[in-house]
């Protein structure tokens, strides 16, 4: 449950996804993290939303190797 943070995903064509995340369970960070690990995990779910049906049908793994832009609001 702690890593189930995505409340809503909105697609902007095939290149951008905007995600709305729920607040963290327990009220906040534990440890010295620059970004809350559960928020980062939730944000990376946007990659799955951007993956085409053809890419999914081919199988394989999704591994983010580059993020062009990340905006935290």
């Amino acid at each position: 449950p702690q890593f189930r943070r995505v409340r809503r995903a909105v697609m902007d064509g095939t290149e951008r996804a905007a995600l709305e995340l729920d607040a963290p369970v327990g009220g906040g960070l534990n440890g010295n993290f620059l970004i809350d690990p559960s928020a980062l995990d939730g944000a990376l779910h946007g990659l799955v939303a951007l993956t085409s049906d053809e890419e999914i049908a081919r199988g394989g793994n999704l591994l983010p190797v580059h993020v062009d832009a990340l905006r935290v609001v």
Side-chain angles (χ1 to χ4, degrees), residues 29-37 39-40 70 72:
L29 295 175
N30 295 320
N32 296 318
F33 300 107
L34 182 60
I35 298 176
D36 179 352
L40 182 58
L70 176 66
V72 179

Side-chain angles (χ1 to χ4, degrees), residues 5-73:
R5 298 274 306 269
V6 178
R7 176 183 296 179
R8 187 177 121 179
V10 177
M11 304 301 296
D12 181 10
T14 60
E15 295 183 1
R16 286 191 247 174
L19 297 152
E20 182 179 337
L21 303 178
D22 287 328
V25 174
L29 295 175
N30 295 320
N32 296 318
F33 300 107
L34 182 60
I35 298 176
D36 179 352
S38 66
L40 182 58
D41 179 73
L44 291 175
H45 284 113
L47 293 175
V48 176
L50 292 172
T51 303
S52 71
D53 291 338
E54 293 82 25
E55 290 172 312
I56 292 171
R58 279 195 311 240
N61 298 311
L62 297 174
L63 178 64
V65 294
H66 175 80
V67 176
D68 188 51
L70 176 66
R71 182 174 39 170
V72 179
V73 291

